[in-house]
Amino acid sequence: DGGIKARIIGLLKEHEEDALFSKMLATIRTDAPVPYKLPEELKLNGNVLPNVLTLFDELGFRTLKARVRTVLGGGVEPTKEEATEEETEDVESLDQTKFQEAQLMLWLLASDYTNPSLDDILAYTKKEKFDEAYVALVRTLSEEEGLLKVYDTIEKPLIPVLREAEAWGVLVDTEEMKRLSVKYKKELGEIERRIYKAAGHEFNISSPKQLGDVLFDELGLVVKGQKKTTGGQRSTRESELEKIRDLHPVIEDILEYRQVQKLLSTYVDSIPPLLDAGGRLHANFLQAGTTTGRMASQNPNLQNIPVRSDRGRAIRNAFIAPKGFELVALDYSQIELRIAAILSEDEKLMNIFKSGRDVHTEVASAVFGVEADKVDKEMRRRAKIINFGILFGMGVNALKAQLGTSTAEAHQFLEDYLTTFTRLAEYLEETRGYARKHGYTETLFGRRREFSGIKSPLPYVRAQAERMAINAPIQGTEADVIKLAMVQVYEYLKQEGESDSAHLTLQVHDELVYEIADSKVEELTEKIRTIMENALPADQTHGVPIIVEAKRGKNWGEMTAI
């Protein structure tokens, strides 16, 4: 890939005075593929291996170090399973609480180190023993007042909350999962037959090469600007298929085929084998799982269950409450926009929330120049796209694609928005400027997110980093708020002796799901809602209310508002 190659060249040039790196630079500058094995003369210098490993630590090539050890150190490259097993044995011998604390400290100090391994911890601290690395991390973090506060008040207290939630798990209706499996596999077969009919023959739909041959050569579905993979093949990624969606109905079937296949493989068929003897799923919550500060999960990744599709919502129906309990879902309402109003202190945006008016309707009224009661569904839909697009640094072209309008219209919508909410526009530009100057952004609580690409000589790398930087304080503050709420709810339940009456079972984006005893649902839901709405101190909200919507039900998919 030319872009990645150029970036590596730029990084290697910083070490050009070193003979080893100069040799690597000369090799990679050629058009020929970079050889897997380095020249033999480079292996004669006893410092080669540690030098390369040090460089790879600096470049962030975390997953390539095992291969480098093999190439420069001799021997056979370990399999992924062997490498994982070797590290797991080392990690398991450590104090698990201290190891998790070390992971969090490193992640706060260097946000790109998501779910840091023991190897990452040792490499970052330049220590050979974990205990030494732990002490070094404590010392370094103590010098960063803002990050230390995030660690002491948010991340460290969250460790027992998540451990308990993982141990408790969530009950899954295995019969419902079996029913969905049969249903989705039948639907997958029907979609498959439609695709074969359009192609005129059977082929492996999951093979990018075979699919590309059918679409581009046999059906001739080609438009200007189609991209290729790094290997030179024509790309069949979803973004590329969207470009030719209107050329043939088979594209719709292919996209649907992928969606159903993913739901089956990721959730419907993979969850039942993960359940314990009591039918409960114990997914892993990844506290340091993202660069933004947000939580992630694995085994399975519950964050990615689609909520906008009927099939995705149906999967939620299989997450159920046991006898004597109900599931209660509490969701922050429009939290990103509310935090954007708080951080920017944009009077117009703050006043919309203070008055309790619908923000998307009000934005539509301002952008489209009509009274609020004249805003129709399509106007509100477009305003919603613009609202979130602005927060994610969306430009005219991206906005045009999302809205389905002309470039001129998209440009006008953007201009009208920014001239209406001038202080928000200034704040977003200030955030971009701060990131350019310092290389990172900070949340309201002091969490930092670094952007190594923001000073890249490559324009598209720099632009991407700037787009992410614009949203980082908003998304990071949102993550801080929900984590604080999780800790505060946990402490409240312990203090009030209600730990047996309510259990945290799921955390998905802005939503917390609790399993609450039937007799306590209304009382505890109101308490939890109050805690969540006040997790951000009142003196920091500038009067913008934080609103939490609560729902109850016997399963996660079919709930009624409380």
Side-chain angles (χ1 to χ4, degrees):
D1 177 62
I4 294 175
K5 187 173 179 179
R7 188 176 175 191
I8 293 172
I9 288 173
L11 291 163
L12 284 171
K13 285 184 73 175
E14 297 174 12
H15 302 267
E16 201 163 7
E17 71 282 355
D18 186 294
L20 168 65
F21 301 137
S22 178
K23 183 86 173 184
M24 292 171 70
L25 186 58
T27 303
I28 201 172
R29 271 181 170 151
T30 67
D31 291 330
V34 179
Y36 177 69
K37 292 193 175 183
L38 296 176
E40 286 297 322
E41 62 267 24
L42 294 182
K43 298 183 184 179
L44 300 178
N45 181 353
N47 291 325
V48 168
L49 181 56
N51 282 353
V52 173
L53 292 178
T54 299
L55 173 65
F56 275 30
D57 284 334
E58 292 177 19
L59 300 182
F61 293 173
R62 297 164 62 191
T63 60
L64 292 177
K65 291 171 68 175
R67 300 179 79 187
V68 171
R69 285 194 182 97
T70 301
V71 174
L72 297 183
V76 179
E77 181 180 358
T79 64
K80 183 178 179 182
E81 291 75 14
E82 289 170 339
T84 303
E85 183 179 346
E86 182 180 339
E87 182 175 297
T88 301
E89 289 174 352
D90 291 337
V91 170
E92 286 178 351
S93 67
L94 304 175
D95 179 315
Q96 290 305 297
T97 297
K98 285 185 69 175
F99 178 64
Q100 196 163 0
E101 289 173 356
Q103 287 182 302
L104 293 173
M105 286 189 283
L106 170 52
W107 173 60
L108 287 173
L109 289 165
S111 60
D112 285 343
Y113 279 89
T114 55
N115 297 323
S117 65
L118 175 58
D119 201 27
D120 292 330
I121 292 168
L122 298 176
Y124 181 85
T125 57
K126 295 180 172 57
K127 303 294 182 183
E128 294 185 2
K129 299 293 183 183
F130 172 74
D131 286 342
E132 296 172 353
Y134 183 89
V135 171
L137 287 170
V138 170
R139 186 184 305 116
T140 304
L141 190 65
S142 67
E143 297 170 359
E144 299 283 352
E145 185 178 348
L147 295 178
L148 181 61
K149 186 176 180 182
V150 173
Y151 176 72
D152 285 337
T153 62
I154 300 176
E155 297 298 348
K156 189 176 179 180
L158 189 61
I159 294 174
V161 180
L162 297 181
R163 280 186 176 173
E164 191 171 299
E166 287 179 342
W168 188 258
V170 61
L171 188 61
V172 175
D173 185 340
T174 53
E175 291 304 313
E176 179 65 12
M177 281 295 191
K178 287 177 184 175
R179 189 188 71 79
L180 288 177
S181 181
V182 171
K183 182 175 185 286
Y184 289 178
K185 283 173 182 173
K186 181 182 177 183
E187 292 174 357
L188 197 67
E190 292 170 354
I191 300 168
E192 195 174 54
R193 284 189 287 276
R194 291 202 300 269
I195 294 172
Y196 291 157
K197 184 177 180 181
H201 61 87
E202 294 187 6
F203 65 100
N204 183 359
I205 302 170
S206 299
S207 165
K209 184 180 185 310
Q210 291 186 36
L211 180 61
D213 290 342
V214 169
L215 296 180
F216 308 130
D217 295 333
E218 297 175 25
L219 296 179
L221 306 181
V222 181
V223 294
K224 187 178 180 181
Q226 283 178 298
K227 295 181 180 178
K228 292 185 177 181
T229 66
T230 53
Q233 289 186 18
R234 294 159 297 186
S235 175
T236 57
R237 290 168 55 183
E238 183 176 341
S239 57
E240 295 305 303
L241 293 184
E242 287 290 349
K243 296 176 182 178
I244 57 175
R245 183 193 279 267
D246 296 335
L247 300 184
H248 200 291
V250 74
I251 303 301
E252 187 75 37
D253 284 330
I254 291 167
L255 293 172
E256 187 178 9
Y257 178 90
R258 288 179 175 177
Q259 181 199 66
V260 178
Q261 190 179 54
K262 184 175 181 179
L263 291 176
L264 278 166
S265 62
T266 309
Y267 303 109
V268 178
D269 287 342
S270 69
I271 286 178
L274 298 174
L275 305 181
D276 65 16
R280 299 187 77 92
L281 175 69
H282 302 273
N284 301 120
F285 293 106
L286 304 178
Q287 190 172 346
T290 68
T291 56
T292 62
R294 276 185 161 192
M295 297 270 293
S297 65
Q298 65 182 17
N299 301 322
N301 182 359
L302 299 172
Q303 310 279 346
N304 286 349
I305 298 177
V307 294
R308 291 185 178 87
S309 70
D310 291 338
R311 291 191 184 100
R313 284 193 295 270
I315 292 174
R316 289 190 170 209
N317 293 349
F319 290 80
I320 60 175
K323 186 176 180 180
F325 286 80
E326 279 190 77
L327 291 184
V328 175
L330 299 105
D331 192 6
Y332 279 107
S333 172
Q334 298 173 336
I335 184 72
E336 283 191 339
L337 287 167
R338 292 174 191 272
I339 288 174
I342 292 167
L343 293 179
S344 67
E345 298 184 50
D346 186 292
E347 287 293 339
K348 289 182 181 177
L349 194 55
M350 288 196 296
N351 286 336
I352 290 173
F353 288 117
K354 288 178 183 179
S355 67
R357 304 194 306 273
D358 177 68
V359 66
H360 300 312
T361 299
E362 292 299 317
V363 167
S365 172
V367 170
F368 298 115
V370 298
E371 295 296 324
D373 59 358
K374 301 296 183 184
V375 172
D376 58 28
K377 285 184 178 181
E378 178 58 19
M379 288 178 180
R380 188 181 183 279
R381 183 190 73 83
R382 289 186 172 191
K384 189 173 182 179
I385 291 172
I386 296 169
N387 267 329
F388 289 108
I390 295 294
L391 299 190
F392 282 91
M394 191 181 289
V396 172
N397 289 333
L399 202 59
K400 168 191 168 186
Q402 289 284 323
L403 294 173
T405 61
S406 67
T407 301
E409 281 183 303
H411 186 270
Q412 191 61 52
F413 291 153
L414 194 60
E415 284 296 308
D416 290 342
Y417 187 100
L418 297 178
T419 53
T420 300
F421 302 101
T422 52
R423 177 58 203 138
L424 176 62
E426 290 170 358
Y427 163 76
L428 295 176
E429 191 52 47
E430 288 165 6
T431 302
R432 192 202 311 264
Y434 186 93
R436 283 178 185 152
K437 181 178 179 180
H438 299 280
Y440 64 85
T441 58
E442 288 184 328
T443 69
L444 186 62
F445 295 89
R447 180 188 302 278
R448 220 178 260 174
R449 182 178 176 187
E450 297 173 337
F451 298 93
S452 57
I454 203 129
K455 296 182 180 179
S456 169
L458 303 174
Y460 76 91
V461 173
R462 197 166 58 247
Q464 183 183 39
E466 288 180 2
R467 283 194 299 273
M468 291 189 293
I470 283 173
N471 184 252
I474 298 168
Q475 203 171 68
T477 300
E478 171 194 1
D480 292 339
V481 168
I482 197 165
K483 284 182 172 181
L484 273 171
M486 292 165 73
V487 171
Q488 291 171 10
V489 171
Y490 176 80
E491 291 173 347
Y492 166 80
L493 294 174
K494 280 180 63 178
Q495 291 167 4
E496 298 299 318
E498 298 286 10
S499 295
D500 292 333
S501 301
H503 304 274
L504 177 65
T505 60
L506 297 165
Q507 187 280 324
V508 178
H509 303 310
D510 307 325
E511 180 181 22
L512 298 178
V513 182
Y514 288 86
E515 201 174 84
I516 302 180
D518 289 339
S519 61
K520 296 278 188 174
V521 168
E522 292 186 7
E523 175 191 347
L524 290 182
T525 297
E526 199 50 45
K527 292 287 187 184
I528 294 171
R529 191 206 307 254
T530 300
I531 291 170
M532 291 176 67
E533 290 181 342
N534 291 279
L536 184 60
D539 61 351
Q540 294 180 300
T541 64
H542 304 298
V544 174
I546 304 297
I547 303 297
V548 171
E549 297 172 347
K551 295 182 290 186
R552 66 192 292 180
K554 285 297 181 182
N555 68 63
W556 190 22
E558 298 171 326
M559 292 184 151
T560 55
I562 300 178

